Amino acid sequence: MSRSTVVVSCLSPLLLALAACSSSGEFDETGGIKIVRSACPAVAVPAQTGDITIFDPPASREARAIDVVATITDLRATCTDSGDHIVSNATFAVQARRSAAGPARDVVIPYFATVVRGGTVVVSKQVSRVAIHFDAGALRASGTGAATANVVRAAATVPADIQAKITRKRKPTDADASIDPMADPVVRAAVQKASFELLVGFQLTEDQLAYNATR
């Protein structure tokens, strides 16, 4: 798995006051802390896309018209290297509840899986469906979904010159000893460009998004 390491020196009096130097990370031989950055895509559910409410009739927004409510839960991912590519496989569960018990019923809900680079650039998007089966008389049911991100390793790798700036060891007497390398706009932009996310959520209509935003 591709990783990059940031070494934060804790020898400076100012840095000794930082909570980040007190408990987390691995200590290197100088007493600094190694912060490991994984090249694997981060996996998350975007705001307001992890829930869906289905109405009957569809145009109604009254509480008594709520038919099925579903939520994405237990989102997990495993990341593996495959030659020049980094592959992240995500799985999740969908927990659903219908408003009234009745005969056995199947509900199919669309969801998306989007790979985003640098927080703004959409690299790819796929729309799939998860099937929910309600047994006769049951109010609750569940289903599972999956998503995959395939990222070119070179694109997810911080350039060597930027990596050198991040990992350069600093002495307490250095002028930039207390300055976070990420404060440099060039460094920050390079790290952001090499960062990918796999975002999973329900494929909502504009009306469904508006409902989630205002409820």
Side-chain angles (χ1 to χ4, degrees):
M1 185 181 300
S2 299
R3 295 176 180 266
S4 56
T5 303
V6 179
V7 178
V8 181
S9 174
C10 291
L11 299 178
S12 163
L14 177 59
L15 289 180
L16 282 173
L18 297 178
C21 292
S22 63
S23 60
S24 62
E26 298 179 2
F27 288 93
D28 76 341
E29 65 278 4
T30 69
I33 291 180
K34 297 178 180 179
I35 303 172
V36 179
R37 172 192 174 272
S38 173
C40 293
V43 180
V45 178
Q48 300 173 1
T49 67
D51 300 276
I52 185 171
T53 303
I54 301 172
F55 291 87
D56 186 17
S60 177
R61 289 299 178 266
E62 296 184 9
R64 63 182 180 181
I66 293 177
D67 182 22
V68 175
V69 176
T71 303
I72 292 176
T73 65
D74 199 26
L75 178 61
R76 300 168 181 245
T78 57
C79 185
T80 58
D81 292 347
S82 178
D84 295 330
H85 294 262
I86 298 169
V87 180
S88 182
N89 294 300
T91 59
F92 61 91
V94 174
Q95 302 294 335
R97 174 177 52 83
R98 58 177 174 175
S99 58
R105 177 186 175 190
D106 291 310
V107 177
V108 178
I109 304 175
Y111 68 90
F112 67 85
T114 300
V115 178
V116 178
R117 182 179 191 179
T120 58
V121 180
V122 175
V123 177
S124 65
K125 179 179 179 180
Q126 293 184 330
V127 177
S128 302
R129 290 167 175 76
V130 57
I132 307 293
H133 176 75
F134 289 95
D135 291 330
L139 289 174
R140 298 182 179 275
S142 63
T144 58
T148 299
N150 191 325
V151 177
V152 176
R153 183 189 305 281
T157 302
V158 176
D161 60 328
I162 299 298
Q163 179 71 10
K165 290 182 179 181
I166 295 174
T167 59
R168 183 177 67 83
K169 295 181 180 180
R170 297 166 176 81
K171 298 179 181 179
T173 55
D174 290 344
D176 61 352
S178 62
I179 299 176
D180 182 352
M182 290 296 290
D184 183 337
V186 175
V187 173
R188 187 167 60 250
V191 172
Q192 183 177 18
K193 185 178 180 180
S195 299
F196 289 79
E197 296 172 289
L198 173 57
L199 304 180
V200 178
F202 288 122
Q203 182 68 22
L204 305 175
T205 65
E206 291 186 8
D207 287 344
Q208 289 170 330
L209 275 170
Y211 177 80
N212 282 359
T214 58
R215 63 177 180 166

